[in-house]
Amino acid sequence: MCIFMFLCKRTDDALDLPLPSRQSSQAAGMDLHANVHEELTLQPGAREKISTGICLALPEGYEAQVRPRSGLAFKFGVTMLNGPGTIDADYRGEVGVLLINLGQEPFTVRRGDRIAQLVIARVQMVDLIETKELPDSNRAAGGYGSTGI
């Protein structure tokens, strides 16, 4: 297996937090940690942008996807509003996570909690060509549910 290495920088207020890392050798996602300085409680229905304390430098042709953690969703009803979120290769700012509490109970975020996953993926850069007609296909314009259940 070939492992690529990309640049990751901690913000000055996150030097004590771990870098994103995998929890198993074949995990696709690296855990992102909450860079909060005081406990933050999300009431049911509330949403908040949570700092991670990291910035990335990805090469052209790659993106970082920020995805929800399944354990938070299953156990507490906490997920991401824009999951997956995309970090473009030319973005150098801090990675944030838009958490929302869809559960029935308040959820507390503490410093260092694993709040999301980071997946690095190749991106195929394309240009769209406008046309008046598209080629035929068997499915045509059949949308949601058109291929069965």
Side-chain angles (χ1 to χ4, degrees):
M1 174 190 339
C2 180
I3 295 182
F4 294 91
M5 295 190 188
F6 298 124
L7 298 176
C8 177
K9 173 187 146 189
R10 289 181 240 215
T11 58
D12 289 342
D13 65 341
L15 298 176
D16 62 316
L17 294 175
L19 289 175
S21 63
R22 291 174 181 77
Q23 298 303 304
S24 70
S25 64
Q26 294 185 28
M30 297 175 274
D31 286 333
L32 292 169
H33 299 268
N35 182 28
V36 295
H37 300 285
E38 297 177 6
E39 289 184 356
L40 178 91
T41 299
L42 286 171
Q43 297 299 324
R47 63 185 184 269
E48 190 75 36
K49 179 181 163 195
I50 308 295
S51 164
T52 64
I54 66 156
C55 305
L56 302 170
L58 300 174
E60 185 175 337
Y62 286 85
E63 69 163 329
Q65 299 172 4
V66 180
R67 299 180 180 181
R69 292 194 67 233
S70 58
L72 290 183
F74 178 70
K75 293 177 185 175
F76 305 105
V78 173
T79 190
M80 289 176 45
L81 275 178
N82 66 323
T86 295
I87 313 265
D88 295 310
D90 58 352
Y91 177 68
R92 296 294 184 266
E94 184 177 1
V95 174
V97 177
L98 296 175
L99 284 185
I100 185 165
N101 183 356
L102 299 176
Q104 303 298 313
E105 302 294 327
F107 178 79
T108 301
V109 178
R110 294 174 179 83
R111 184 166 188 78
D113 282 356
R114 296 180 296 154
I115 57 168
Q117 296 184 75
L118 185 71
V119 174
I120 308 296
R122 285 186 180 264
V123 174
Q124 181 64 52
M125 304 304 278
V126 300
D127 289 323
L128 297 178
I129 301 170
E130 186 174 10
T131 183
K132 299 266 187 218
E133 300 290 327
L134 295 175
D136 289 335
S137 75
N138 288 339
R139 185 173 180 181
Y144 299 111
S146 66
T147 61
I149 300 176

